[in-house]
Amino acid sequence: MRFFSDDLSLSKEDINHIANVLRLKTGDEITICDGKLTDYKCAITKISKPELAVEFDILGSSPNLSEPCVQITLFQGLPKSDKMDLIVQKCVELGVYRIVPVECSRSITKITDNRDKKIARWQNIAEAAAKQSGRGIVPEIASPISFDKAVGQMLSCDVALMPYELENVNSIKNALTPPSNISNIAIFIGPEGGISDEEIALAKSKDIQTVSLGKRILRCETAGFTALILILSTLGEYE
């Protein structure tokens, strides 16, 4: 089982999970990742349920090799209902570096009430997905921003891409060829209603490339997965 801790200590939630959910025993091994690409193999030496305490010895450390060769920030137009939960979970599993929710002109959902609770929920989902997939970091779920601010942040990356259903010439493979000297990529996925003409015009005026994800129009919760896989495949991640 995998846990994240920058100081190699276990939180009360982690200890409860070890003692009462996983029901691990003395001698069982766990992995603690410092969130900075180093994994520590540990052996449990004591579990005390009444005090909710776990003691362990560090057996050794090794570099985490699961992180992609490029940092990908997903700018996700806010979807309705609980679709964001699925987007966060699967994109973290696939290797996204950071997720930024974006309030677009066609977003049905607007984050007003319970803003902090929603962000905390998404961050917890990201941590659980990072544990499950063996990540070396827990990707950050940023606070929601406007479309204009998202465009500004995308421009700080080496490459900025925006999948668009009316783009039929430029593909992700074309946009990333040759894939040299690329360390970070921004990808924008629109909400259910798509990206408005005004938003597309603004993005293009800032030299953000529109790209195609294929012949079929994908749902917003599918488009992000597809874009990540295409980017990482183009950069040789699956070879």
Side-chain angles (χ1 to χ4, degrees), residues 105-106 147-148 195-205:
S105 61
R106 293 180 179 174
F147 182 84
D148 291 358
I195 306 168
S196 70
D197 293 342
E198 293 77 13
E199 289 167 339
I200 283 292
L202 174 61
K204 288 184 174 181
S205 72

Side-chain angles (χ1 to χ4, degrees), residues 123-215:
Q123 191 65 64
N124 287 336
I125 291 172
E127 181 171 348
K131 290 177 179 177
Q132 183 275 323
S133 56
R135 296 287 302 270
I137 65 166
V138 178
E140 175 198 2
I141 311 301
S143 296
I145 59 176
S146 67
F147 182 84
D148 291 358
K149 289 184 178 179
V151 168
Q153 289 188 19
M154 290 177 71
L155 296 176
S156 66
C157 293
D158 296 331
V159 178
L161 306 175
M162 183 174 290
Y164 182 46
E165 64 268 22
L166 297 183
E167 176 61 60
N168 53 23
V169 176
N170 194 31
S171 66
I172 284 180
K173 184 176 181 179
N174 291 338
L176 298 179
T177 302
S180 59
N181 300 320
I182 298 176
S183 60
N184 48 69
I185 295 173
I187 184 87
F188 182 92
I189 301 296
E192 289 95 341
I195 306 168
S196 70
D197 293 342
E198 293 77 13
E199 289 167 339
I200 283 292
L202 174 61
K204 288 184 174 181
S205 72
K206 301 297 184 179
D207 293 328
I208 292 175
Q209 296 186 64
T210 56
V211 292
S212 170
L213 294 182
K215 298 178 181 179

Side-chain angles (χ1 to χ4, degrees), residues 2-95:
R2 187 176 194 78
F3 301 91
F4 282 92
S5 175
D6 56 1
D7 61 359
L8 302 186
S9 64
L10 294 172
S11 67
K12 289 184 179 180
E13 291 78 9
D14 290 337
I15 294 172
N16 180 67
H17 195 66
I18 288 172
N20 299 316
V21 180
L22 297 175
R23 299 182 182 276
L24 298 182
K25 300 177 181 179
T26 299
D28 287 340
E29 294 183 358
I30 60 174
T31 298
I32 301 178
C33 181
D34 63 2
K36 300 175 183 178
L37 305 180
T38 301
D39 291 341
Y40 293 83
K41 184 178 180 180
C42 305
I44 295 174
T45 57
K46 182 179 180 180
I47 297 179
S48 178
K49 291 187 178 181
E51 292 81 15
L52 201 60
V54 171
E55 297 179 10
F56 57 86
D57 288 335
I58 297 176
L59 304 179
S61 64
S62 60
N64 181 280
L65 303 177
S66 68
E67 291 304 305
C69 58
V70 63
Q71 294 179 349
I72 303 174
T73 298
L74 169 65
F75 291 84
Q76 175 66 55
L78 278 169
K80 62 182 180 181
S81 188
D82 58 354
K83 291 181 180 179
M84 193 67 175
D85 293 1
L86 178 65
I87 291 169
V88 169
Q89 182 188 64
K90 299 308 176 187
C91 286
V92 169
E93 288 180 21
L94 288 169

